Amino acid sequence: MQFSMGESQIKINTPTRSALMDAVRASLAARRGFALATLNLDHLVQLRTDATFAAAYAAQDIVVADGRPVVWLSRLAKQPVELLPGSDLVLPLCTIAAAEGRTIAMVGSTETALGDAAAHLTSAVPGLTVAYAHAPAMGFDPDGAAAADILRDLEASGAGLCFLALGAPKQERLAARGRKLAPSVGFASIGAGLDFLSGHQRRAPSAVRALALEWLWRALSSPRRMVPRYRRCFAILPGLTAQALRQRRKG
């Protein structure tokens, strides 16, 4: 499934969970870095006007679908992809890292949340080691000098997999830069995934997610922040639907 956002072409190149796990396992075994992005409607909104974000997305090695609207559009285009939210990938990816004898790292959120997330993950995944954790200061610039220091420290730590919990577009921009400054590290941009695991943010109940109503739960939980975001997301849906139908007709 491919989306045209202005001059940008964004393609979901890893459509299934099994394909993602195989790709990550192969990269970790080969000690080869990568960048994983989880595409959702909010990203597609930002990609329309943010050339820097678009360039960062173009540098991602693996792109999966995070968000039911993206999955529904793929089905409409007859190019179906699986729903793979970043928050649901943390534990499975840690399991693969431990099995391959690779350590993990975490960048983002807060020091307290990272500590709690590390405790949760090392308890849940036997043999897992956290080699590096850092919560950047407020106003963190993924293109700045502090970011370069973090990436060099990551490379020196020997971590095979780094979870970025900075939010879009900062996490994807840091991952893209990391492909050059930390080439042996695999970067997974997972948004609030570590905050959910550590209990510092509450995720929608599983029943709500099963009904595809997580967006409504989030809107009601944080209306000032989320309602404007969802309004912008809904505004681009007609154009994305037209794109999906064109791809469907082209086969």
Side-chain angles (χ1 to χ4, degrees), residues 2-10 47-51 53-55 57 243:
Q2 182 167 292
F3 297 94
S4 298
M5 310 306 295
E7 297 182 359
S8 304
Q9 301 291 324
I10 307 299
L47 286 163
R48 294 163 67 92
T49 57
D50 189 336
F53 189 28
Y57 241 93
Q243 286 187 33

Side-chain angles (χ1 to χ4, degrees), residues 211-230:
L211 292 171
L213 292 175
E214 185 171 10
W215 66 272
L216 180 58
W217 189 90
R218 295 181 70 191
L220 293 173
S221 300
S222 183
R224 287 190 177 182
R225 184 170 69 92
M226 300 306 301
V227 170
R229 176 186 294 186
Y230 287 134

